[in-house]
Amino acid sequence: RLKQVFVNVIKNSIESIDKFGIIELSILKKEKNIVIFIKDNGVGMTVEELEHIKEMFYTTKRNGTGLGVALSNEIIIAHGGSMDYESDKNKGTKCIISLPL
């Protein structure tokens, strides 16, 4: 199930960038957790979009279902972790996933 989360988050990043886009992945050990950062320089989200990002069936994509982020968040929570997003419109998005070691 964790594989599904990472495939979904990276797929979202790929879909948000243009042909010159960049996706950065980094991992940090912090106390008893591992923190994974997935950052892109894609289209980003507004504050309003960001507020709804984890809601079931919420999407900004033309053909999106609005299930990917919501289900990914549930999977991360089931593993005792957390999933947060930071974003700026037209600058990119960062997904921060924290999981217990």
Side-chain angles (χ1 to χ4, degrees), residues 28-65:
L28 171 71
K29 182 180 175 195
K30 186 175 181 184
E31 299 172 9
K32 295 183 179 182
N33 292 304
I34 188 155
V35 184
I36 301 107
F37 301 90
I38 303 167
K39 181 181 176 183
D40 65 62
N41 64 345
V43 297
M45 294 178 277
T46 65
V47 173
E48 293 78 21
E49 291 168 334
L50 200 55
E51 288 175 0
H52 299 284
I53 191 69
K54 295 180 187 177
E55 293 176 12
M56 201 69 87
F57 305 113
Y58 178 79
T59 185
T60 58
K61 297 179 186 177
R62 179 175 293 196
N63 295 317
T65 62

Side-chain angles (χ1 to χ4, degrees), residues 13 16 22 24 38-45 50 53 84-89 91-95:
S13 286
S16 78
I22 297 171
E24 298 175 16
I38 303 167
K39 181 181 176 183
D40 65 62
N41 64 345
V43 297
M45 294 178 277
L50 200 55
I53 191 69
D84 296 298
Y85 281 85
E86 297 173 0
S87 190
D88 289 311
K89 191 69 175 171
K91 292 185 180 178
T93 300
K94 183 193 299 182
C95 179

